[in-house]
Amino acid sequence: MAIREIITAPDGRLRKVLSKPVERVDDALRSLMDDMLETMYDAPGIGLAAVQIGEPLRVIVMDLAGADEEPAPIYFVNPEILEPSDEVTLHEEGCLSVPEFYDEVERPTTCRIKYLDYEGNEQVLEAEGLMATCVQHEVDHLEGVLFIDHLSRLKRDRVLKKLKKEQRLAAAE
Ligand code: NI
């Protein structure tokens, strides 16, 4: 396993790429998922999409276990969101690709998610609460969408400008 570099906004690789479906769940893919999980734990974060480490594939890892609970990783290959509820909920979100910025985003309260697991078996999960929010946030990444795209243009432009400035300063050091 290896810790990989997480790409941060406004890097175009997070935006223009439509992540491709996985054709086969094999050892090479499991090795990528292992790297993703290690990278996410190291960050630390609760969800990561493959495109965030520069691999435009439809793969997500998540772990919503609390700090005092056993790790509970979930691997989603080719995830599809089904039956999003009409009811919506506001949840505060953050993103490893948008460091140190948090804001509330409105999303469907519940949904089902169909995916292939670590072994390549088809699964369907009923998601609500944090799970529903997180899955929808991560699936957005596969379409080149960031959570800040759900905010007002003013807020989005402000955070992108700040990140750009910080990256310029870091590069100059
Ligand atoms: Ni994110």
Side-chain angles (χ1 to χ4, degrees), residues 147-163:
F147 84 99
I148 52 175
D149 298 337
H150 294 282
L151 305 176
S152 69
R153 188 172 179 169
L154 182 74
K155 279 188 181 174
R156 181 168 63 247
D157 288 351
R158 199 187 293 151
V159 63
L160 287 174
K161 207 171 143 188
K162 183 170 159 270
L163 287 172

Side-chain angles (χ1 to χ4, degrees), residues 47-49 52 93-98 137-138 141 145-147:
L48 189 76
Q52 293 180 272
E93 297 187 23
C95 179
L96 295 174
S97 292
V98 187
H137 172 122
E138 298 306 333
H141 276 297
V145 174
L146 297 174
F147 84 99

Side-chain angles (χ1 to χ4, degrees), residues 12-53:
R13 283 174 290 175
L14 294 168
R15 297 310 227 155
K16 307 245 156 73
V17 177
L18 211 58
S19 292
K20 291 193 190 70
V22 169
E23 285 175 12
R24 205 174 48 232
V25 180
D26 55 13
D27 286 345
L29 188 79
R30 279 187 279 272
S31 163
L32 170 67
M33 292 194 282
D34 292 344
D35 283 359
M36 287 171 64
L37 195 74
E38 195 179 4
T39 302
M40 182 189 82
Y41 285 147
D42 178 69
I46 58 172
L48 189 76
V51 68
Q52 293 180 272
I53 58 165

Side-chain angles (χ1 to χ4, degrees), residues 9-158:
D11 192 306
R13 283 174 290 175
L14 294 168
R15 297 310 227 155
K16 307 245 156 73
V17 177
L18 211 58
S19 292
K20 291 193 190 70
V22 169
E23 285 175 12
R24 205 174 48 232
V25 180
D26 55 13
D27 286 345
L29 188 79
R30 279 187 279 272
S31 163
L32 170 67
M33 292 194 282
D34 292 344
D35 283 359
M36 287 171 64
L37 195 74
E38 195 179 4
T39 302
M40 182 189 82
Y41 285 147
D42 178 69
I46 58 172
L48 189 76
V51 68
Q52 293 180 272
I53 58 165
E55 304 279 355
L57 286 170
R58 302 188 79 83
V59 181
I60 290 166
V61 296
M62 277 170 48
D63 189 336
L64 305 182
D68 51 357
E69 292 173 325
E70 287 289 308
I74 315 178
Y75 308 86
F76 298 92
V77 178
N78 297 341
E80 273 178 76
I81 289 180
L82 307 171
E83 299 164 43
S85 60
D86 292 332
E87 190 194 342
V88 292
T89 313
L90 266 183
H91 255 289
E92 188 178 76
E93 297 187 23
C95 179
L96 295 174
S97 292
V98 187
E100 289 168 42
F101 179 77
Y102 303 88
D103 209 333
E104 287 188 318
V105 176
E106 195 178 79
R107 297 186 189 270
T109 308
T110 63
C111 64
R112 302 174 79 191
I113 177 160
K114 190 174 131 190
Y115 62 100
L116 301 177
D117 65 16
Y118 195 79
E119 306 299 334
N121 298 315
E122 194 174 296
Q123 303 282 352
V124 178
L125 186 85
E126 310 283 338
E128 58 176 358
L130 181 59
M131 174 68 82
T133 293
C134 197
V135 156
Q136 293 173 70
H137 172 122
E138 298 306 333
V139 169
D140 268 358
H141 276 297
L142 308 183
E143 317 294 340
V145 174
L146 297 174
F147 84 99
I148 52 175
D149 298 337
H150 294 282
L151 305 176
S152 69
R153 188 172 179 169
L154 182 74
K155 279 188 181 174
R156 181 168 63 247
D157 288 351
R158 199 187 293 151

